[in-house]
Amino acid sequence: MVFRGLGLQIVLPSSSKTFQQSWIASGRILFLIAVSGLGAIGLVVLSALWAGTESDAAALDRQRQLVNARLREQVDQVAHVIGQFGNGYLTRVYPAARSSGGSSSLDAVLTAAAGSAISQTAMSAFGYDQAFVVDEKAQLLMLADAQTEKRYRWMKPLFLPLLQDARLGVRPGTVSNERTPSSMESRLASPGRSNTALANLMRLEGRPTIVGVVAINDPEEGQRQTMRQFLIVVRFIDGAALDELSRQQGLNGARFARTADADENEVAFQIDATANGEPIGFIVWRPDLPGSRVIGRLMPALSIAALVIAILFSVLLVRLRSSLGELRKSELHARQLALHDVLTSLPNRALFAMRFDECLAETKNSAERSAVALLDLDRFKAVNDTFGHAAGDELIRMAAERIHSLLRPGDTLARLGGDEFALLLRDIKDHDQVLPAICDAIVAELGKPFPLLRGEAVARVGGSIGVTVVPDAGRNADDIMRYADVALYEAKMGGRGQWRVYSPSMDGGRNARDILKNELREVLAKGTASSADGPQSDPIANKPDFGSLEVYYQTVHRAEGGGYSASGAEALVRWRHSQRGLLTPASFIPVAEEGGLIDALGFWVLREACRAACKWPENTFVAVNVSPAQLRRPNFAEEVFAVLQESGLPPSRLELELTESSLIEDNSDVYTVLKSLRSQGVQISLDDFGTGFSCLSHLLRFDIDRIKIDRSFVSQLGTKANGAAIIGAIVALSRNLGISTTAEGVETEYQRDFLAALGCTDLQGYFFSKPVPLCDLDSFRTAESAVA
């Protein structure tokens, strides 16, 4: 992604690519969650359907087994009944037929009459559909009308195999070699007789039929051979028998069909012939399917439940995706802030460092020469103090525009912070006048008047530039920047409003800075020794040769409720130098950091602030700035606790202000220190939020209690819509995370009311109070008097 500011293209570093990859991964996770949720719902539905299908299959299989068993039972019943009937008739009803030779006409008539009687008895008494008395050759031995004889002729070929099988009957005690009955075939040997009753399932006249055969005469031994006679009975099972079967087995709408023409909601059970296994037909019925019945009752409720779950899940996914989108926008905005300056839209220190490293890498093995310049606005502090921060910000923007207008397309202008700028000038020739021309033009342009506040004020500041040429000054980035700083210091010491190119001889000129460093060390040593004996003394009396350190306080006011009462104060260090006057931190903090004095200076301010805050109202706090170097100290938390115990200030009334740069370095160590501080109740605030590497994860990982909105955003209220939008976003984010917000740089009543309406919890700025010594801090004077 490309950002444009003052004609410069700012390209996001490779971390944006990593963020895009993480965004894609988040999308994939959302997709997997959606698929998993839908799969779970589908699995529940499929499980219910599967359970119902299995239940239906089991019920259907059971019904088929019952039908098969019932058919077998009917076949066995026919065999049993005709077996009993045949034996009973032999002994009681038909003795003549059993002993008669059947040779005379009278015997034939008697046999036919007896056969008719047997047939009628079988049909009337036992309910068979047909009954025939025949001999071994399947000839009728009974009186029958023409229709019966005609019907029998069609059936005769099917009866012959049964008669041949029936003639295999043997006497009791002998071995029989007859085959084992099939699944639909039944044999019954009567006790004490050799007659065997046989029942088979076959198709007669296109209908499923049970046919039973039993011998009805049995010649005794010693008699001449007589003709064997058999009773054949027929029972059709597609009529009344099927209706009975349907009632007994619960076969709804059972019917017989020659083909499997079952409807969609019916099943067909195939009936096979006993003799050869050929299909006879099908019994078709509507099965009782409990699984489908249960599913039919549950499916509406299950469908509604699945729909509700799907809707809720969809809403959750949409909400989650929206939250990820908002987080993505916030992260992109944070990355934008990490790479460009909010006030001027110029590249910031981070982007300048990346471009400078790229320049060094490209010129390492080439003859190309480049120049690095550091630029400071002269007398900028006086403009801020005289006209306010709004005028100072306007001056910064105008100076950036003027400087940029003088640069070439390939040059880089960056704002490092405050009124400090950096230049990267590529492709500088040995004998051309590009570098002198650019530097002279910048100095001349910055020396012109700056109309501020819509023409109500005019500022004359000027600028100083320190330049170093690459690779003349070396190839190490830190050394090159240090050389440019030395050249800038020489330009300032030479009277300001000029530019200097670094030369090795300038290192001797660093004595001025070294002198300032030594003076600060001596002042700090004396100040620390005196503060160990008691509270801060009068800075004028008994002051050392190089002056003394003082702590000024700028009050912080509550925005809620409309009263704007003081809720606390921020401690700000000043150096009242004996020759240079009152120095602000910007004049000596860099010297303290370079000389390793920042830790001692920071703890001196902390001790003095805690002592002073003990006399303030109990519901107020004191805020103290902490440098990154202090946070890197492993025992920093223990030293803070020692100061609190010494002064008697409750930990909850101390607020330590950090910069985001201090959170970027040594994350693990800083996290441990801050966790220890917060465990005892010390409050943690994030200073100048939005102007550094603003990563949202810092707010959660380090458990920040307060965000301080930078004055550069506040100054844009009423002039640029972006300022209000950014502040509103920060306040909304803080409110959702339960974090307090303090807006810095409040200088007008409009800004105060607007920030209070946006939801800022506290306000700070010249509108309420400038930084003042402790003796001039009127906001807490009543409380101090009461304590005294």
Side-chain angles (χ1 to χ4, degrees), residues 84 145 248 299 356 377 496 530 586 591 637 645 705 738 768:
Q84 295 293 331
D145 55 21
Q248 291 177 353
M299 189 54 67
F356 188 29
L377 299 181
R496 304 174 185 263
S530 62
V591 175
Q645 185 176 6
D705 297 291
F768 298 102

Side-chain angles (χ1 to χ4, degrees), residues 132 151-159 204-205 236:
F132 305 98
R151 191 175 188 183
Y152 176 74
R153 283 196 299 269
W154 286 99
M155 299 179 181
K156 179 180 178 180
L158 300 176
F159 292 159
L204 288 179
E205 299 178 345
F236 298 108

